[in-house]
Amino acid sequence: MTHRTRLPALAATAAAAVLWATAGPAAPPAAAHPFGPPSTATISADGPTVSIAWRAAEDDWVALGQALGALEDPATGNVSTTLTGEQKLQGSQDVRAYLLDQIYITQDGSRCEGELASMENLLAEGARLTYRCPRDVRKVDVTVGALSDLNEAYRTMLTAETPADPSSTLLTATDTTRRMNFSWYAGVLATPGLAVAAGTAAAIMAGAVAWVLIGRRRAGRARS
C-alpha cells in the first residue's frame, strides 16, 4: 500500500467535522491542516529505551485514517456511527503499522525495536511509541515522517523531554530525520546562550594572554 496520497485540506476538515461528531460532545472541533501549526512529538530516553508521543490535529487524524482505509470518506459513501472515529483509528492495524513504519529510532544504522505502547485518549495524548535499542541511548537518529508522505507541507516539531542536543527541532517532508545526542553532557550543549558565553570567555582569555605578552615585551625593552 502506498501512503503518498495527497488529500485536499478542506475535504479533510469537512470530513473531520462529520467523523468526530460521532465521538460525542467531548470531541474537539476540527482545525485546518496541513498549513496550520505542525504536529508535535515529544521524546525521552532512559537507558536503552526511547519513548515518543506523537500528536496531530483531529483533521490530520482523519486524513491519515482515510488514506489508510481506517475511516470512511463521507464524500464518497456512508459513514458507520457504530464506533467513533477515534475508536476506528485505535482498532486499525494499518494505522498501527503505519506509525511504526514512519516513526522510528536508529542506533548505529540499525532500527531499534519499536512497539505502539498506547493509543488511548488519542486526541489529547497522541500515539505513544516505545523503542528498545541494543545499548544505552546516546547518539541516535530520530525519524518522524508521519503525515509528510500525504502532503509535503506537513511538519513535526520534535521536543526532547530529557536532556538532549538539540533540545527541539523541526522535521519536514525533505528532512524527516535528526540525530539527537542524549549523552550526559547533552543538556549543557543545548543550553540557550551557551555559544555566546563560550565566545565571551574565549575573548576574555585571548585578551588576558595578549596583555601578558605585551607586558613581557615592555619589560624586556626596559631592561635593554
Side-chain angles (χ1 to χ4, degrees), residues 46-113:
D46 183 11
T49 302
V50 177
S51 299
I52 293 179
W54 181 72
R55 302 176 179 85
E58 64 269 26
D59 63 320
D60 295 335
W61 278 116
V62 170
L64 182 60
Q66 290 180 344
L68 299 175
L71 298 177
E72 305 93 332
D73 185 350
T76 59
N78 294 328
V79 175
S80 172
T81 57
T82 304
L83 300 174
T84 66
E86 186 176 51
Q87 290 171 331
K88 293 174 184 178
L89 291 168
Q90 291 166 339
S92 171
Q93 292 302 316
D94 288 335
V95 170
R96 292 169 175 267
Y98 173 88
L99 293 173
L100 286 170
D101 184 56
Q102 295 291 328
I103 304 173
Y104 56 90
I105 304 296
T106 303
Q107 186 181 59
D108 298 332
S110 298
R111 281 197 186 193
C112 300
E113 183 179 357

Side-chain angles (χ1 to χ4, degrees), residues 64-177:
L64 182 60
Q66 290 180 344
L68 299 175
L71 298 177
E72 305 93 332
D73 185 350
T76 59
N78 294 328
V79 175
S80 172
T81 57
T82 304
L83 300 174
T84 66
E86 186 176 51
Q87 290 171 331
K88 293 174 184 178
L89 291 168
Q90 291 166 339
S92 171
Q93 292 302 316
D94 288 335
V95 170
R96 292 169 175 267
Y98 173 88
L99 293 173
L100 286 170
D101 184 56
Q102 295 291 328
I103 304 173
Y104 56 90
I105 304 296
T106 303
Q107 186 181 59
D108 298 332
S110 298
R111 281 197 186 193
C112 300
E113 183 179 357
E115 65 173 348
L116 189 54
S118 177
M119 291 181 73
E120 294 296 323
N121 202 10
L122 187 63
L123 292 180
E125 299 180 17
R128 280 86 75 194
L129 303 99
T130 302
Y131 306 85
R132 184 79 176 181
C133 297
R135 294 175 299 283
D136 284 355
V137 171
R138 291 184 176 83
K139 294 181 180 179
V140 292
D141 293 321
V142 183
T143 298
V144 182
L147 288 176
S148 61
D149 58 334
L150 302 184
N151 189 308
E152 62 183 14
Y154 278 114
R155 300 149 294 153
T156 296
M157 178 57 73
L158 176 65
T159 303
E161 292 187 316
T162 51
D165 181 35
S167 58
S168 63
T169 186
L170 185 67
L171 302 176
T172 67
T174 57
D175 189 11
T176 60
T177 300

